Amino acid sequence: MSKVQKLGGVLLVLVLISSVLFLFDGRGGSDQIDRDRFVIADTAAIDAIHIQSTDQDIHVVRQGDTWTLNDTLAIDPSLMQITNSIMSQVTVQRPVSQLNKAEVRQQLEKTGQKVTISLGDERRTFYTGGNLQKTQSYFADEELKEVYLVGIPGYHHYIPGIFELTLNQWRDRLLFDSNYRSIQEWTIDYAKGVDLKMEFEDRFFSIAGVQQIDTAALMSYFNGFEQFQLNDYLSPGKYPRYDSLLTTAPIAHLSLTDIDQRKNRVLDIYAKIPGERFYLYSDANKEMIVVDEKRTEALLKSPSQFKRE
């Protein structure tokens, strides 16, 4: 047998092995894959999303022009935009390799999210999750028979993360959304110190104890009320150090009255725990909220800081 024949035989064997591995890895027959099997082309038709896992049960339901979380809570509207974007573009890249399909299926069953999306009378259910490093995104059918590696063209981030958010992370984080045109009254009652009271009178604001107001300082202060978001909601029992703060007296009591009564706020602020970066707030429903120290301390002004020099 000549050298050329030998090399030709070796090459043929290598090609055969490569083809077998290609098929065995689930990438063979790619033309048979429905790459849009999880796509929802008309995301405007979505009227509910149900996310189930071993540790949480989340319902997002459309009610008119708004979305409600678990019947009573407002959601972060940006999360619905992200969800719609993902579901309109998610693409099947290939089936998961036969070598680790059983392992991935078991992982999705134990730690994945079961997602049911309602579009009128139609229901679409699938499982979603990823590897431990969050570098691969998996979608599987409702029966967990077929598992796929999925992605979005041009987007290289972890797709299932949107469905792994906690209930608190789905919630609307907007704490204040007022401005100097809509605020009617703003007061801070301090446990120690001089209280701050701003009130709209006639054509402008008055500040108790301040005769000459620094208008620029006041406008800058009120600008901070637009799209002011909290950092997070805390669930009772999860952070005992913050739970214990609720048994202490607050350092300040905030009250905001807006033309739009839906924007009214009543909040208590508690002393910051040494070494922590957040202040604890509680609202009228005694919910626990945290806001970073920089923005909290920017709120806690005194009347003297608005005096014109």
Side-chain angles (χ1 to χ4, degrees), residues 71-117:
D71 297 329
T72 59
L73 305 172
I75 76 163
D76 183 338
S78 67
L79 295 183
M80 281 307 305
Q81 295 172 6
I82 294 171
T83 302
N84 289 343
S85 180
I86 288 173
M87 294 312 303
S88 66
Q89 300 178 74
V90 62
T91 301
V92 171
Q93 296 177 335
R94 61 177 174 83
V96 166
S97 166
Q98 295 293 331
L99 294 172
N100 63 355
K101 183 177 179 180
E103 179 184 351
V104 173
R105 182 188 292 139
Q106 185 179 39
Q107 177 186 335
L108 289 176
E109 189 172 18
K110 289 184 176 180
T111 64
Q113 320 297 315
K114 183 180 180 181
V115 181
T116 299
I117 296 180

Side-chain angles (χ1 to χ4, degrees), residues 291-306:
V291 179
D292 60 86
E293 60 184 334
K294 181 178 180 181
R295 293 186 302 142
T296 296
E297 290 169 1
L299 281 179
L300 299 178
K301 297 286 190 180
S302 63
S304 62
Q305 291 174 283
F306 298 97

Side-chain angles (χ1 to χ4, degrees), residues 36 44 82 85 91 131 153 190 211 226 233 239 249 286 306:
D36 294 334
I82 294 171
S85 180
T91 301
N131 59 352
Y190 291 102
Q211 298 301 316
E226 295 190 71
Y233 294 93
Y239 298 97
K286 296 301 180 182
F306 298 97

Side-chain angles (χ1 to χ4, degrees), residues 213-253:
I213 297 175
D214 183 336
T215 305
L218 180 62
M219 291 297 100
S220 177
Y221 183 62
F222 280 156
N223 285 340
F225 286 83
E226 295 190 71
Q227 295 294 309
F228 186 107
Q229 294 193 329
L230 57 91
N231 290 80
D232 208 351
Y233 294 93
L234 301 185
S235 298
K238 191 170 183 179
Y239 298 97
R241 297 182 71 191
Y242 283 97
D243 290 346
S244 64
L245 285 179
L246 292 179
T247 65
T248 67
I251 61 172
H253 178 79

Side-chain angles (χ1 to χ4, degrees), residues 33-203:
I33 299 173
D34 179 5
R35 299 195 179 278
D36 294 334
R37 67 170 297 161
F38 297 106
V39 166
I40 295 178
D42 183 14
T43 56
I46 296 174
D47 51 33
I49 301 175
H50 184 199
I51 305 170
Q52 296 171 283
S53 67
T54 55
D55 56 1
Q56 63 180 10
D57 197 325
I58 294 173
H59 294 263
V60 179
V61 179
R62 186 198 298 274
Q63 295 185 342
D65 295 330
T66 62
W67 291 87
T68 302
L69 179 65
N70 283 22
D71 297 329
T72 59
L73 305 172
I75 76 163
D76 183 338
S78 67
L79 295 183
M80 281 307 305
Q81 295 172 6
I82 294 171
T83 302
N84 289 343
S85 180
I86 288 173
M87 294 312 303
S88 66
Q89 300 178 74
V90 62
T91 301
V92 171
Q93 296 177 335
R94 61 177 174 83
V96 166
S97 166
Q98 295 293 331
L99 294 172
N100 63 355
K101 183 177 179 180
E103 179 184 351
V104 173
R105 182 188 292 139
Q106 185 179 39
Q107 177 186 335
L108 289 176
E109 189 172 18
K110 289 184 176 180
T111 64
Q113 320 297 315
K114 183 180 180 181
V115 181
T116 299
I117 296 180
S118 301
L119 304 96
D121 294 331
E122 182 185 358
R123 301 286 184 275
R124 303 227 191 142
T125 300
F126 57 92
Y127 281 84
T128 182
N131 59 352
L132 294 177
Q133 296 76 27
K134 307 295 186 185
T135 56
Q136 292 187 320
S137 302
Y138 305 130
F139 274 31
D141 60 22
E142 184 175 1
E143 293 78 24
L144 282 171
K145 290 182 178 179
E146 301 299 331
V147 186
Y148 301 91
L149 189 68
V150 300
I152 292 176
Y155 182 81
H156 304 292
H157 298 283
Y158 181 64
I159 294 173
I162 188 70
F163 300 113
E164 295 174 357
L165 297 176
T166 65
L167 179 69
N168 281 340
Q169 290 171 328
W170 271 94
R171 295 183 63 178
D172 188 359
R173 296 172 180 240
L174 193 62
L175 188 59
F176 300 116
D177 192 23
S178 299
N179 56 55
Y180 75 92
R181 296 184 183 89
S182 65
I183 293 173
Q184 298 299 290
E185 184 175 293
W186 168 251
T187 63
I188 307 178
D189 297 323
Y190 291 102
K192 298 178 181 179
V194 180
D195 296 340
L196 175 65
K197 182 174 183 179
M198 299 176 170
E199 191 173 5
F200 187 82
E201 294 182 345
D202 192 16
R203 293 162 56 183

